[in-house]
Amino acid sequence: MPAGLYCPPADIYIDPVRPVARALITHGHSDHARSGHGSVLATRETLAIMALRYGEGFTEAQQVAVPGETIRIGEVDFRFVPAGHVLGSAQIVVESRGLRIVASGDYKRERDPTCAGFEPVACDIFITEATFGLPVFRHPPAAGEVAKLLESVRLFPERSHIVGAYSLGKAQRVMALIREAGYEQPLYIHGAVEKITGFYEKEGIALGEIRPVARTDRKALGGEIVICPPSAAQDLWARRFPDPVTAFASGWMRIRARARQKGVELPLVISDHADWDDLQATIRETGAGEIWVTHGEAEALVHWCGTAGLKAKPLHLVGYGDEGEAEPVEEAADAAV
Ligand SMILES: [Zn+2]
Ligand SMILES: [Zn+2]
């Protein structure tokens, strides 16, 4: 099985799932950013997030990729361009002998107040994810989903609202959207969300007053909003709040059966991945004649490319988001907190 995307003329891997001598990392989610590489080239934010999660020794050497700047390795030029997925996330533009390939990592097209927006780059080969690459996945505007949450808080002022959201990116985006909607009460966060949230705030993203649940009497949090990792929303941790309403912010919440099966009372369809329409729109915008699909619903997207007259193939890369947005490694870590 390939250990990520390998670029032979530069001898580098993009998002390798096993330790390699030289890695280029698109973003800090644990299925893309792993520790133990010889050297890591990534944006300043991604390097900082990796250090926060794995400790300063997560790699032997590190180099900052400044978005928009070209870095030559061997005969190949590399350039990092915003991907709109989470803070610091980037597509990696690979250019050699007149051929331009874009490895987009994970990306989305919907506006996100917590990170730079996706910038389409014209290319010959576009490498895309397909986490939500099925026609059933159409994400509604996130603001409308947050309005549902705030409406529920108004309707049930005695109940705690426990919102499951991945600790890197989704949690902070949900908090920022809650603030944009005009909600000014303190927001409460689970311990597993604290470090990354502190980093976002340090980077200048205003999230209003945030209070750690750990230093609060949970019984007093009726009517309040609590942000926690999805795993915590589903276990005993959540049941110690007054009559909790469990919510889950994820693209998967489009599937009602999935929400029911996870015991989610208030599904919020908020995703940091492109939906079916945005995958297609993005592929068209790049003008690429050839599409490689890394992970997710590769078959359906490859099939669509065929109908659109584009060459396409699934890469069958393993180790990325087996649960889609669920980041199995991170989930395990979260569960221990
Ligand atoms: Zn990701
Ligand atoms: Zn991913």
Side-chain angles (χ1 to χ4, degrees):
M1 288 295 176
L5 291 164
Y6 181 56
C7 174
D11 194 24
I12 63 93
Y13 286 87
I14 295 176
D15 292 353
V17 297
R18 288 197 301 267
V20 299
R22 194 153 197 191
L24 275 59
I25 308 281
T26 59
H27 67 286
H29 278 150
S30 51
D31 51 334
H32 297 254
R34 314 216 177 199
S35 63
H37 302 307
S39 76
V40 170
L41 173 63
T43 62
R44 184 183 56 78
E45 296 90 338
T46 296
L47 291 171
I49 288 165
M50 292 178 78
L52 273 179
R53 298 188 134 179
Y54 302 126
E56 291 294 338
F58 69 92
T59 176
E60 285 164 35
Q62 47 181 290
Q63 185 184 352
V64 174
V66 177
E69 278 183 14
T70 299
I71 296 160
R72 171 156 287 206
I73 303 173
E75 300 284 283
V76 187
D77 285 335
F78 294 91
R79 188 157 51 95
F80 285 59
V81 174
H85 178 57
V86 297
L87 186 59
S89 67
Q91 313 171 68
I92 300 175
V93 183
V94 184
E95 202 154 359
S96 174
R97 296 179 189 167
L99 180 76
R100 188 186 289 166
I101 302 178
V102 172
S104 53
D106 290 340
Y107 65 95
K108 72 170 172 296
R109 305 303 302 273
E110 194 182 10
R111 193 190 72 90
D112 180 339
T114 68
C115 68
F118 180 95
E119 292 174 17
V121 177
C123 58
D124 303 293
I125 300 174
F126 184 62
I127 307 177
T128 182
E129 54 137 328
T131 303
F132 292 114
L134 285 174
V136 65
F137 292 113
R138 291 199 159 90
H139 309 324
E145 300 301 287
V146 166
K148 281 183 204 166
L149 169 66
L150 297 180
E151 180 59 17
S152 178
V153 173
R154 268 189 296 271
L155 284 173
F156 305 109
E158 274 78 51
R159 304 180 69 185
S160 297
H161 283 67
I162 314 295
V163 183
Y166 301 112
S167 58
L168 167 57
K170 186 69 64 62
Q172 297 76 27
R173 182 181 176 208
V174 166
M175 290 192 267
L177 290 170
I178 287 172
R179 294 313 186 195
E180 282 190 351
Y183 183 85
E184 286 172 354
Q185 296 291 108
L187 292 169
Y188 293 84
I189 58 174
H190 183 279
V193 184
E194 282 179 36
K195 257 198 295 193
I196 301 289
T197 299
F199 176 67
Y200 268 62
E201 290 181 302
K202 225 174 68 203
E203 290 291 308
I205 292 146
L207 300 174
E209 188 182 347
I210 308 285
R211 294 183 185 168
V213 169
R215 293 195 274 288
T216 317
D217 175 14
R218 286 183 219 181
K219 299 240 165 1
L221 295 186
E224 306 291 350
I225 299 175
V226 180
I227 312 285
C228 66
S231 51
Q234 279 155 40
D235 71 22
L236 274 176
W237 185 86
R239 278 173 230 147
R240 293 186 213 131
F241 293 88
D243 195 13
V245 174
T246 57
F248 183 18
S250 165
W252 294 110
M253 292 298 97
R254 189 77 177 74
I255 310 292
R256 296 227 159 257
R258 193 152 176 144
R260 263 199 307 274
Q261 171 206 337
K262 287 185 173 273
V264 177
E265 190 174 341
L266 183 60
L268 304 172
V269 186
I270 301 176
S271 176
D272 284 331
H273 295 267
D275 67 3
W276 179 242
D277 293 329
D278 282 345
L279 287 168
Q280 295 176 11
T282 304
I283 286 170
R284 288 195 194 277
E285 267 178 83
T286 65
E290 189 168 339
I291 310 302
W292 298 351
V293 185
T294 53
H295 60 293
E297 301 292 344
E299 309 284 296
L301 193 61
V302 165
H303 180 263
W304 173 81
C305 288
T307 64
L310 303 169
K311 257 178 88 178
K313 64 174 180 189
L315 296 181
H316 300 300
L317 296 187
V318 294
Y320 299 111
D322 296 347
E323 280 284 303
E325 296 188 306
E327 306 162 32
V329 178
E330 180 181 13
E331 282 293 274
D334 285 347
V337 178

